[in-house]
Structure formats: structure tokens, C-alpha cells
Amino acid sequence: MTQWNVLIADRLAEEGQAILRAAARVDDRSGLSPEELLAVIPQYDALIVRSRTKVTAQVIRAATRLKVIGRAGVGVDNIDLEAARAHNVTVVNAPTAASIAVAELTFGLLLALAREIPRADAGMKAGRWMKKELKGRELHGKTLGLLGLGRIGAEVARRAHAFGMTVLAYDPFLPEEVIRERGADPADLETLYARADFISLHLPLTEETRGLIDAQALARMKDGVYLVCAARGGIIDEPALLDALNGGKVAGAALDVFAQEPPGASDLVRHPRVIATPHIGAQTAEAQARAARDIAEEVLAALRGEALRWRVV
Ligand code: 9EZ
């Protein structure tokens, strides 16, 4: 009986490695260089990566035994999908593993904005008691506008209800009844911008959504709106957001993702009313373990020729 050889090219949580080892020969070579990958890839039936390893057309051409590439997470922009298709290599990902982690970070950012928790802490660490300067706002009674109501947006909506918020959602890919089932009132973009006190983005970056939050969109929002983005860099036009912060239209913004990552100490990141985090949405022990488990199961299913939950190619 021939055994499958599986190459793990980026750090994968132990939960996933155990599932793979029960069914295949597994080499954990996380951190290997592009040259090393090219040299060893001909031996493998399956390749598992996160976002670090670039799976180029050259790698796929050299991969004469390769049947499946698994991405332990959502984004597959580090994999040449055209080359995979041309060489009959299946590509699978683990798109749902981080939904709770991202929804919880979103709430952390909403609360951090409303109560200025980072500024309060920075003051304390500098020996200052900023009590009088720290008058926040409550989420209770406010309207949260969600752009995108997929798995993450729906989890955010549930949590918003627990905080006593009214939840509006715009998602052109969902029927109104599904938006209602997920706990939000359907709204068109204009209405959402006009009514929301807090706006959070939960949509993918596509040709249609790149720069969706531009100067025009910002101008339609309420004065003093708070923005949260833990979705993808590039959805927000960052220079337009900086102008809207400086002009007083936007009261505060919390950003986990950036058009360029890392963004460095940009004017936006350093802005006193911006809270910035280094793309930590999926960075929980639980989400990483779930992504590893999901991708291990999906890659084995592909090797066995079974039905796939998350085929990309
Ligand atoms: C676009 C979207 C949501 C959206 C949601 C999904 C591809 N796509 N685009 C604009 N799944 C809100 C505003």
C-alpha cells in the first residue's frame, strides 16, 4: 500500500498535525526557503501552508506527485490558482475557523473606541490619572451598521444585541429574510451610512469592495461615526479616512488590517483617534487549532477522493 507524503511548509498547530499523522507520512518543515521547497516538493502528495509560503507556478510545475494544496486559513493569494488548475492540483482552505476570533476582536475594538481604553492605559503607564479626560460613550442604545453579514458579521450581530444595540446590515449577496434571521435589519447603503453610530466591515476585498469606504462614503456617514475594520486592507481608502478623522467627521477608527502590511508608523496609525492592531483577527489559540484541524481533515478528504467542504480550485 502506497502511503501519502504530506509536507507542512508553515507552522501548523499540533491538532492538525496529529490528524495528518494518523493517515499519512508527514514532514514538518515549517520555515523552509523557496529553494528548499522547490527541491523537496516532487516527493509530496499534499502541501499545507499558511500565508508565508509562496506556492508559485514554478513550485506547482515541479510538484509531479502533488494532488492537493491546503491553506490553513482563508486567503489564497499566496497560491498560484491558475497554475494549480492547469496541473489538476486541488486547492482547499479553512474559511470558517477564525469567525469567532474575528467577531470577538471586533467587539474588543468597538469597546476600545467607545471607552478609549488604549489611551487610558497609556496614561496610567505614564503615571497620569486621566479620569476627567476620559468620558466615553456607551454602545447601549446605539446603532451598529454592518457591511457584510456572512459568518463573522452574523456573530458580531448576535453580540451587538447582547449589548443593547440596534443592528443594521447591508449585504448585496443575502436575501432580506436571511439578514433578518441573522439578527439584523436590512438596510441599503445610504440608510446604513445615515443611521449608524458605529460601522464595522465584514466583507472580502474584491474589485467591487476595494476603496468602498472612500471620501464619498465617509461624507454620507453621521458626524462623529466610529469605524471598525478587521476584514481586509484596501476596503478603506486610508488617505480619505485620515482626512475624515482630521476634519472631525469620524470620531475614531479601529483598524486591524491595512492596504500595506505592515503599514509602519504611518500618519493614520499614529493618529490619536486611531486604534491599530497588527492583523490579529485570527490570532487566537482556538482559531489556529480549528484552522489546523479543518485543513488536515480537508486535505485528507481530497487525497481520498471524498466530497470537499471548501474547495477553492
Ligand atoms: C459588498 C459586500 C458587502 C460583499 C459581501 C460579499 C463579495 N461580497 N461583497 C459591499 N460576500 C457589503 C458591501
Side-chain angles (χ1 to χ4, degrees), residues 146-149 170-173 189 202-204 206 208-209 212:
L146 300 175
L147 295 188
L149 199 66
Y170 173 75
D171 191 319
F173 291 85
L189 264 186
H202 302 287
L203 42 104
T206 66
E208 283 72 43
T209 66
L212 180 72

Side-chain angles (χ1 to χ4, degrees), residues 137-194:
R137 306 298 305 268
E138 294 175 3
L139 299 185
H140 185 92
K142 303 301 190 305
T143 296
L144 174 63
L146 300 175
L147 295 188
L149 199 66
R151 280 187 197 83
I152 297 169
E155 293 292 346
V156 171
R158 277 167 34 127
R159 285 157 182 75
H161 284 295
F163 276 82
M165 303 186 87
T166 296
V167 183
L168 304 181
Y170 173 75
D171 191 319
F173 291 85
L174 294 177
E176 290 200 352
E177 73 210 58
V178 173
I179 291 182
R180 285 188 218 284
E181 279 164 18
R182 294 182 183 185
D185 296 332
D188 57 36
L189 264 186
E190 210 60 45
T191 306
L192 187 149
Y193 288 155

